[in-house]
Amino acid sequence: MSGPGDERPLLGVRGLVKRYGAQVGCLDVGFDLWPGEVLGIVGESGSGKTTVLDCLSGRVTADGGQVVYVNGAGVGVDMVGLDESARRRLLRSEWGVVHQNARDGLRMGVSAGANVGERLMALGARHYGRVRGQAFDWLGRVEIGQDRIDDLPETFSGGMLQRLQIARNLVTAPRLVLMDEPTGGLDVSVQARLLDLLRGLVEDLGLSAVIVTHDLAVARLLAHRLLVMRGGEIVEAGLTDQVLDDPQHPYAQLLVSSVLHP
Amino acid sequence: MSYNFAYLDEQTKRMIRRAILKAVAVPGYQVPFGSREMPLSYGWGTGGVQVTASVIGPGDVLKVIDQGADDTTNAVSIRHFFARTTGVATTTRTDQATLIQTRHRIPETPLRPGQIVVFQVPIPEALRWLEPREVETRKMHALEEYGVMYVRLYEDITRHGRVAQTYEYPVIVNGRYLMRPSPIPKFDNPKLDRCPALLLFGAGREKRIYAVPPWTTVKSLDFDDHPFEVEHWDRPCGLCGARGIFLDELIVDDKGGRLFICSDTDYCSRRQAVRPDGEALS
């Protein structure tokens, strides 16, 4: 894992603002994400976590601020002012987005193999055998039985759908993955397996990721650093263990103390 | 009371010609146009009829095809319509026609420079069953995001061992736009590529016109290890004996008797005319 020794962060966010009319989505949010780092954003519902994530991916247009991403060619691009074609190209090549609801991120009408292969084909893969080979390989890596490659996602369980969505995103080896509540809506044992898997993948691939979650246990397991958000603002930031074991801000203290075994 | 030449008023023709010019300038791109009510119902070729009406001139010789045949209802009535409203000469011979309106086939007789072929298109959008939002499909065309089309081919190969699409097989025009050839059989796709004639596509209900100018490259989508292929028949035409052309299957009796004959009636009848005996082959 690399750290602040590298000259530039992968993602530099400064003064990000998003308002929904009179409502505040997020206010003056700023942080750096370094290559190989997993950053967790925690906070209660409505604290602006998902708004920040949506501003990063461009799904929501920020009202102000900067999101500078250093792309594969080493050029910094500001995601906020980026034109749509470049943004969409980035989203299907160097970035991955894992939705809370796996159905939002999958094509439910086509087989698991086609779901995994879509990004490859979108990037120009034109050899059926090789696309299928990679899909096969990735289903194994996310612990979906490889005999399920031709089955429709409709026939998968919730945990399998989420793993399939992860495979679909990671197949093109993205440099940055945005995850919104990747374990939401799954039962505890399935969550544990998914977290195990994610942790392994993050380490193996040296992924950089931003993970939004309200579950502090998820944050503890996956994130290197944490941001605590409330009312659209970052109220505390620091190393995960530090924030969870010794929270400074009253709200962070409340958040940590409201969980039985964080 | 008499109609204007080719039924449509001059302002409408002018509007459609502008759309056609734009379509020719951007091969494969769907140009919106103000489709008019025509004296035939949607699905019967209102788009093709409007395009034909806009490009036809008194010196043209018109041929109209319906599923390869010159003598079916749709072909006869459209041919009659233009004969009445323009007085142009009509023909069934591909080589003598200057303007050919067709439903779902490209003639077997090779097209030549100077000819215009007008296709009747029911659904112009190639991404229609893959992406329901029209706004999104236009964006996908604009940004050349055609990965999802390959997802469909992948699914076909996975389920059927080959691409099962046999008509309106998707193509890339001029290396840029994904196009849905009007529902011609994929057998006719190779005829689109570098075709010497101008190919115009009109969709009346969907209000779109697109075009493939002469000598434009048209590539059928495929995978490197599953190349595009056309249909083959293991027997010749039962009437004229032609091989390597598109055949229709006819059931000729109630004992399971079948006859495979040319879908292109002009091609078939002219081959029969030059045969000395004129007898059907068995």
Side-chain angles (χ1 to χ4, degrees):
Chain A
M1 183 192 146
S2 24
D6 292 5
E7 71 282 15
R8 271 197 297 184
L10 185 66
L11 194 67
V13 181
R14 297 284 174 277
L16 199 62
V17 177
K18 175 67 194 175
R19 289 173 202 279
Y20 302 105
Q23 296 289 317
V24 172
C26 64
L27 208 59
D28 196 25
V29 167
F31 61 86
D32 285 331
L33 180 75
W34 298 89
E37 187 182 37
V38 178
L39 180 74
I41 304 181
V42 297
E44 62 195 359
S45 299
S47 60
K49 308 183 300 277
T50 301
T51 298
V52 170
L53 207 66
D54 285 348
C55 286
L56 298 185
S57 69
R59 217 163 85 126
V60 166
T61 311
D63 297 329
Q66 261 194 330
V67 178
V68 176
Y69 166 70
V70 179
N71 68 15
V75 182
V77 286
D78 187 359
M79 299 299 289
V80 173
L82 198 63
D83 73 84
E84 193 172 5
S85 69
R87 187 173 65 75
R88 286 169 70 129
R89 202 172 310 125
L90 211 55
L91 274 174
R92 63 174 195 268
S93 55
E94 298 189 8
W95 289 35
V97 179
V98 175
H99 298 267
Q100 174 174 7
N101 184 351
R103 285 157 198 273
D104 293 344
L106 291 172
R107 256 176 221 289
M108 299 305 285
V110 299
S111 67
N115 266 292
V116 179
E118 176 169 356
R119 274 169 74 109
L120 293 170
M121 294 186 273
L123 292 180
R126 295 291 179 265
H127 191 282
Y128 174 82
R130 281 201 282 274
V131 168
R132 191 169 168 81
Q134 288 207 47
F136 197 73
D137 180 43
W138 265 100
L139 289 182
R141 288 176 83 163
V142 298
E143 297 164 21
I144 295 175
Q146 287 170 324
D147 55 332
R148 304 297 300 272
I149 188 168
D150 296 335
D151 291 353
L152 291 181
E154 295 284 358
T155 65
F156 285 13
S157 69
M160 285 169 79
L161 285 178
Q162 200 54 278
R163 292 201 295 273
L164 181 62
Q165 193 193 185
I166 288 163
R168 172 181 160 92
N169 274 285
L170 296 189
V171 66
T172 51
R175 301 176 71 230
L176 172 64
V177 181
L178 308 178
M179 299 193 201
D180 189 3
E181 307 273 8
T183 59
L186 301 176
D187 73 55
V188 191
S189 62
V190 173
Q191 271 194 31
R193 275 182 63 201
L194 187 68
L195 285 173
D196 239 21
L197 174 78
L198 273 176
R199 201 151 65 144
L201 288 172
V202 163
E203 275 170 21
D204 290 352
L205 306 172
L207 277 184
S208 310
V210 179
I211 297 184
V212 160
T213 181
H214 61 259
D215 187 339
L216 295 185
V218 170
R220 171 85 93 183
L221 275 169
L222 288 177
H224 301 127
R225 265 193 317 132
L226 272 193
L227 305 177
V228 182
M229 288 192 70
R230 192 194 191 194
E233 290 179 276
I234 296 177
V235 295
E236 185 160 348
L239 296 176
T240 303
D241 289 348
Q242 185 191 326
V243 171
L244 293 182
D245 293 342
D246 184 20
Q248 302 295 312
H249 188 274
Y251 173 70
Q253 291 171 352
L254 180 76
L255 192 70
V256 171
S257 64
S258 55
V259 183
L260 290 177
H261 301 287
Chain B
M1 169 188 160
S2 72
Y3 290 111
N4 188 32
F5 181 79
Y7 183 77
L8 289 176
D9 62 275
E10 292 303 315
Q11 284 304 313
T12 299
K13 284 197 237 173
R14 190 168 133 148
M15 173 271 294
I16 295 173
R17 284 173 195 147
R18 284 182 172 193
I20 293 172
L21 285 175
K22 185 168 177 180
V24 170
V26 192
Y29 172 72
Q30 299 167 46
V31 184
F33 78 108
S35 180
R36 299 290 190 254
E37 286 277 331
M38 296 302 286
L40 73 168
S41 49
Y42 287 133
W44 285 75
T46 52
V49 165
Q50 289 178 78
V51 171
T52 300
S54 306
V55 298
I56 198 168
D60 270 314
V61 179
L62 179 71
K63 169 180 166 74
V64 183
I65 315 170
D66 174 12
Q67 305 276 15
D70 293 279
D71 54 3
T72 51
T73 312
N74 200 211
V76 169
S77 61
I78 291 176
R79 190 165 57 230
H80 183 59
F81 172 75
F82 281 114
R84 266 181 61 189
T85 55
T86 65
V88 300
T90 60
T91 180
T92 58
R93 295 192 53 156
T94 302
D95 54 344
Q96 288 177 357
T98 58
L99 182 59
I100 303 172
Q101 178 170 337
T102 177
R103 173 168 180 259
H104 311 350
R105 276 312 308 278
I106 297 177
E108 306 288 357
T109 310
L111 299 169
R112 55 179 165 77
Q115 284 181 318
I116 299 177
V117 182
V118 177
F119 294 80
Q120 302 169 197
V121 180
I123 299 166
E125 180 52 71
L127 299 164
R128 172 56 70 244
W129 309 119
L130 304 167
E131 170 54 57
R133 291 164 296 177
E134 180 77 16
V135 171
E136 182 66 15
T137 57
R138 284 187 215 177
K139 223 173 248 178
M140 289 161 84
H141 281 295
L143 303 177
E144 220 179 328
E145 283 180 10
Y146 296 142
V148 61
M149 201 74 227
Y150 281 92
V151 170
R152 177 173 175 185
L153 300 189
Y154 174 99
E155 268 310 87
D156 263 17
I157 296 172
T158 302
R159 289 189 194 172
H160 309 291
R162 64 191 164 81
V163 178
Q165 187 84 18
T166 55
Y167 67 102
E168 62 187 15
Y169 191 102
V171 293
I172 293 280
V173 180
N174 203 24
R176 175 60 181 85
Y177 279 99
L178 178 68
M179 188 183 90
R180 188 182 197 127
S182 88
I184 56 172
K186 71 175 178 179
F187 181 88
D188 285 344
N189 271 22
K191 297 178 192 163
L192 296 167
D193 187 31
R194 284 174 251 263
C195 177
L198 169 64
L199 310 177
L200 302 175
F201 299 78
R205 176 170 39 204
E206 304 274 330
K207 304 176 172 55
R208 294 287 184 278
I209 287 172
Y210 49 102
V212 176
W215 311 111
T216 306
T217 57
V218 177
K219 188 184 178 308
S220 303
L221 296 190
D222 60 2
F223 284 104
D224 297 344
D225 49 344
H226 285 265
F228 174 76
E229 279 178 349
V230 298
E231 303 92 325
H232 296 286
W233 286 264
D234 53 6
R235 62 185 90 190
C237 167
L239 296 178
C240 75
R243 287 179 186 273
I245 52 148
F246 194 83
L247 300 183
D248 282 338
E249 180 182 7
L250 291 186
I251 295 175
V252 290
D253 54 33
D254 57 0
K255 299 180 186 67
R258 285 149 205 275
L259 187 61
F260 284 84
I261 58 165
C262 294
S263 141
D264 186 335
T265 54
D266 164 57
Y267 181 82
C268 193
S269 58
R270 278 196 289 134
R271 276 181 56 91
Q272 291 179 65
V274 297
R275 282 168 49 87
D277 50 355
E279 284 287 307
L281 296 177
S282 52

